[in-house]
Amino acid sequence: MHRTARFFAEQGIDQFLDIGTGIPTSPNLHQIVQQINPSSRVVYVDNDPIVLAHAGARLHSTREGRIAYIHADMKEAEAILSSPELTDTLDFDRPVALSMIAVLQFIQDDEEAYDLVKRYLRPLPAGSWLALSTVTADSSPASIGSASAEYTKRVVPIRSRTLAEVEPFFDGLELVEPGVTLVNKLAARSAVRRRATGQGHRGGHVRGRGTQVVTQAVA
């Protein structure tokens, strides 16, 4: 997350939508991007009541920027995208960076997961970016499979995906080097893919495959 947030901000992006925020840590996404551009705006989305409890106390914006938090299920894409918290914070006439880090493994059905990403990308204007990650066992099937089974037993079921199953998330987007790769092999500069439109690029992506599979993409 740190690398992609910084990368997007360095491309001039100053609007961010973070799906599946998790408990706020430091530095969080807004702290990274507002260091580069203090006027950056960030909308966080999560449905965990523990995250909600921490959000008000820990998510503080710069004076020039703005932060909003939406307590919602990520599957409610249209409700999130049309919510006052989002529309009052982000301007969809300008590029937005969409972040979906470590959340798609919680959607078991591949087609549902692919469709969810498309629903978030659909209203984003040209020049927007997408960063996403999911779990894969490609790098170490035995250990990752065991870890996934244990997580499923103790918490909720998770879906481990192969490279071939991750790639469709980026259909219609243009890859930037190094393309799809394991998180620990990502170069300091994230790979990106841009949507082919006559108006310019709609983002890019960095894909990761491995225990901590981080697929970062541009929309």
Side-chain angles (χ1 to χ4, degrees), residues 129-147:
W129 300 74
L130 163 68
L132 71 83
S133 74
T134 190
V135 171
T136 183
D138 281 6
S139 61
S140 181
S143 60
I144 302 306
S146 175

Side-chain angles (χ1 to χ4, degrees), residues 21-200:
T21 302
I23 296 175
T25 58
S26 185
N28 215 317
L29 189 153
H30 70 281
Q31 294 171 311
I32 294 169
V33 300
Q34 289 182 344
Q35 271 191 334
I36 297 171
N37 182 349
S39 64
S40 294
R41 294 180 166 221
V42 179
V43 174
Y44 291 108
V45 179
D46 206 295
N47 69 341
D48 188 332
I50 297 177
V51 176
L52 175 63
H54 287 277
R58 297 191 182 185
L59 299 179
H60 300 296
S61 175
T62 57
R63 185 174 302 174
E64 303 94 328
R66 187 167 179 179
I67 293 175
Y69 178 83
I70 302 173
H71 185 66
D73 189 320
M74 67 176 175
K75 294 181 181 180
E76 301 171 351
E78 287 71 28
I80 289 169
L81 291 166
S82 62
S83 68
E85 294 90 342
L86 188 146
T87 58
D88 288 348
T89 305
L90 304 182
D91 177 3
F92 274 11
D93 288 330
R94 299 193 301 108
V96 174
L98 169 64
S99 176
M100 302 183 75
I101 303 298
V103 293
L104 293 169
Q105 65 265 28
F106 298 114
I107 300 180
Q108 301 295 298
D109 183 79
D110 288 342
E111 293 305 319
E112 182 183 357
Y114 299 148
D115 181 65
L116 180 64
V117 173
K118 290 177 183 176
R119 285 159 59 199
Y120 278 106
L121 288 175
R122 196 169 295 130
L124 301 187
S128 294
W129 300 74
L130 163 68
L132 71 83
S133 74
T134 190
V135 171
T136 183
D138 281 6
S139 61
S140 181
S143 60
I144 302 306
S146 175
S148 296
E150 187 65 21
Y151 193 91
T152 297
K153 181 172 70 175
R154 293 175 177 270
V155 191
V156 294
I158 63 173
R159 170 81 163 88
S160 174
R161 292 183 169 90
T162 64
L163 170 61
E165 292 167 331
V166 170
E167 287 182 326
F169 284 116
F170 306 103
D171 285 350
L173 300 178
E174 177 190 343
L175 259 175
V176 168
E177 295 299 328
V180 182
T181 186
L182 295 171
V183 176
N184 60 354
K185 293 183 179 179
L186 288 177
R189 193 102 180 189
S190 297
V192 183
R193 228 198 202 184
R194 298 175 180 176
R195 180 178 297 274
T197 70
Q199 307 162 4

